[in-house]
Structures are given as structure tokens and as C-alpha cells.
Amino acid sequence: MSHSSRSPRTRLVVLGLTAVLGTLAACGVGSPGEQYSMPKAATSLQAPTPQSSAEMESLNTTTHLPVYWLAETDGTVSLYREFVEIQGAADPIADSIGYMLSHKPQDPRYFSAWRPSTTVGASVSPDNVITVDLSEKAFGSKLDKGLAERTIAQLVYTATAAASNAGILTEGLQPSVRILVDGVSGYNAFGQVPLDHNFVRDTRLAAALWVIDPQFGRSTKSGQVTFHGVSAAFSGGEFWEITSRDPAEASDAVVASGDLHTGGQSLDQNEFSFTYVLSPGEYTFSVWGVDAATGKHAGTETKDFTVSK
């Protein structure tokens, strides 16, 4: 499949003006005084939901910490994960959340509406209740209800992923997140979401398909390159493609493509992983599902990366 077959991104409304979600991505974090809302024109595609939050997490790294972001796909906003390297990390939950609040995602398609918090507190109880304490400044962006709910979910996913990755959760108990603001519970987040109860992962808000490796903009050595990610089952199947980005050529050249297979070889049921031999150059890895009813692409995810000598 060629890049031209991908569906165009829908647009958002910002205070009555037309703007893409990339506005937030370019800023990295939300800007105070601006108001952001969910896409107005959703597509007819219905991407599947990953089967469970447990199957979505395949965390086994201690050198990088997981952080979740938001991105617009198929007329809605969903959660995606990146692994980030944090120098001098000491508290995995607080460090992951602190990065989410104050840094830009690596993939420019991702975004966050959070504002930097002066302090981030985090603790975990024996029954897997993760308590996160933020300053009120973190909630400075003005969001509609849909985007506010997803922004809270971004925090919940990041906190639970960081705790799981660090191995500090009690096995067999579902983790939940209690959110305090300046040490007090019950705050009305973004004027839309009361923080008067513990939050668990809402799997309906997770992206149906995303790439973990290679991450956007990363460089890897030539030879066997690993492609790793997570995908739900789409009604028309799941597919992948590697293209070479040569500035001298008018269009990208397809290097390889195929069906995307999940599970097996100690992978989770909705996890994929394979290798392909690549020579030095600039590449794009694309994955997508197909909606059987329409034949259209759904859940499309792409990562630009470099292969060095």
C-alpha cells in the first residue's frame, strides 16, 4: 500500500477557529487560556478495542520509563505509549508523570494538554492504589469533557504503567489511581471531571494499534531491525509496510510489506514482534487495520526512523 491511501486527519475546533490537534503536539504541553475540544467530524470507522489492559502492557525494561500520550486517529482521540529515558530517575511513577507533564512526546503526532506541575507526589498501597498528588497548575488548560476524560486517562495509564514496569504492584490485584490536587481530593479537573473517586484504566480509550519499536526519530544499526507493537483484531485484518524515504526520489519506495501477526513465542495475545534486515537509510514503518465493511484503513500508525552503518 502507498502512503497516499492513508486517510486524512480530521480537524479540531479551538475557540471557534479551525486547528489541527497538531497544535498541541507542536507545543508539547497545553497552553493556558486556550480551549481545546474533541474532533467534530468523526469517521464511520469503528476500530476495535484491545481485549484487556493486562494484554496491552508488555513492560520489561528498567532503563526507560513508560509515558502515555494522546493522538487523533479515525475521528477520535486515543492513548498511545512511548518509552523515555529519564536521567537520574529515582521514583518511577513520579518521574514518568513528571515527564508527561513537562516534556514533548517524541512522535510529533502525539500531544498532551497537561501543564507542568511544580511538584509530583506518588505512593502505592499494598492493595495497588496509586496516589498521585499534583499542583493545581497542571490543570491549566481548558478542555471539553471528552478531551478532559482522555487527559485524566493519560495520567492513569502512565501511573499504572510506571508502577507495573517497576515491579511494585501486588500481583493479581487491579491497580487504581487516586488523584489529589495540592494534597486535597475532590478537585474538579479541567472543570469537567470530579476527582472524587479512584480511577482504573478505561480500555475503550486506548489506541487499537500502536508501534513500540522503532520509536519515532530513533536510529538503529543496519542488519536485523526489530518491529514491535500492539494491535487489536480488525475485521478486515492487520498489515504492515516498510518504505524507504529517499529525498532524491519523488515518492517513497516500498521495501517490504505483509500481514501483521500477533501472539505466540511468549508474546501477549495482541502483541506483535518481528525482524527485517535493512541497509543504512531513512525509513518509515507503517501499520494499519482494515475495516471489512468499508475496506478502509483504520488505526493507522507510522514511525520514521533511521538505519545507520
Side-chain angles (χ1 to χ4, degrees), residues 40-66:
K40 300 297 181 181
T43 70
S44 60
L45 296 176
Q46 296 297 319
T49 300
Q51 296 180 23
S52 76
S53 59
E55 289 176 342
M56 291 177 55
E57 296 295 342
S58 195
L59 305 176
N60 54 13
T61 177
T62 56
T63 58
H64 293 76
L65 298 180

Side-chain angles (χ1 to χ4, degrees), residues 108-150:
R109 192 172 71 89
Y110 298 168
F111 72 93
S112 176
W114 288 101
R115 299 292 299 157
S117 177
T118 53
T119 59
V120 178
S123 62
V124 184
S125 71
D127 56 351
N128 284 354
V129 176
I130 302 169
T131 300
V132 176
D133 193 355
L134 307 178
S135 70
E136 189 175 17
K137 293 180 180 180
F139 301 87
S141 298
K142 296 181 180 179
L143 312 177
D144 71 357
K145 185 175 182 180
L147 204 53
E149 290 173 341
R150 284 158 174 78

Side-chain angles (χ1 to χ4, degrees), residues 28-29 69 97-104 114-117:
V29 293
W69 309 102
I97 293 172
Y99 189 99
M100 179 196 75
L101 296 177
S102 58
H103 287 74
K104 294 181 180 181
W114 288 101
R115 299 292 299 157
S117 177

